[in-house]
Each structure stands twice: as C-alpha cells, then as structure tokens.
Amino acid sequence: IVLEDAVLAVLAAAIGIGIGVALAVLVLPAIAFTETGEAAVPRPSVAIPWVTMTVLAAATVGAIVLVAAERARGAARASIAAELRAR
C-alpha cells in the first residue's frame, strides 16, 4: 500500500508541476497587455521557483507516504477473523 501510494503521489506531483509550468509559460505571455490593449514590451518572462516547488512537492509526497504507512500499519494489526466473529 505504501509503495503504491508513494508512486502515485510522485507521479501526481510531477504531472501537476509539469502542467502548471506549461500553462505559465504558454499563457502568461499571451495575456500580458498594457492599459491600451497592446502587447507588453518587453515580453514578460516567467520565473519558476524550482526550489520552492521541489520543497512543497517533497512535503506533499512525504505526508502522503506517512498517511499510507499509518494505514498499512493499522491494516496489519486488524484481525479480520475477530471482526467477523464480533458481528
């Protein structure tokens, strides 16, 4: 369970970062206009905070893995037979 959740968390973080960066790079220059509606000169450049994104993605993946590990530990302690007998 933990490995599966970790792989999904890493993939989700990578895909999310990729889509966000792609949208920022493609859309920002296209929607940058002056007050008169003309294209902005010089064209805006996109500054991507890679360190911040990496830290946030790592924290998110870490939190997901911790929750998955706790779920796996709880599932390992649970006795299915005892649960079925109790009902």
Side-chain angles (χ1 to χ4, degrees), residues 12-46:
I15 290 170
I17 288 172
I19 289 173
V21 168
L23 283 174
V25 169
L26 294 173
V27 173
L28 181 63
I31 62 170
F33 297 105
T34 63
E35 296 84 21
T36 61
E38 298 173 1
V41 177
R43 288 187 59 165
S45 62
V46 179

Side-chain angles (χ1 to χ4, degrees), residues 11-81:
L11 285 175
I15 290 170
I17 288 172
I19 289 173
V21 168
L23 283 174
V25 169
L26 294 173
V27 173
L28 181 63
I31 62 170
F33 297 105
T34 63
E35 296 84 21
T36 61
E38 298 173 1
V41 177
R43 288 187 59 165
S45 62
V46 179
I48 300 170
W50 290 109
V51 173
T52 303
M53 284 196 313
T54 303
V55 168
L56 289 174
T60 302
V61 169
I64 290 171
V65 169
L66 285 175
V67 169
E70 185 60 31
R71 277 191 2 226
R73 195 165 56 117
R77 281 188 279 146
S79 170
I80 295 173

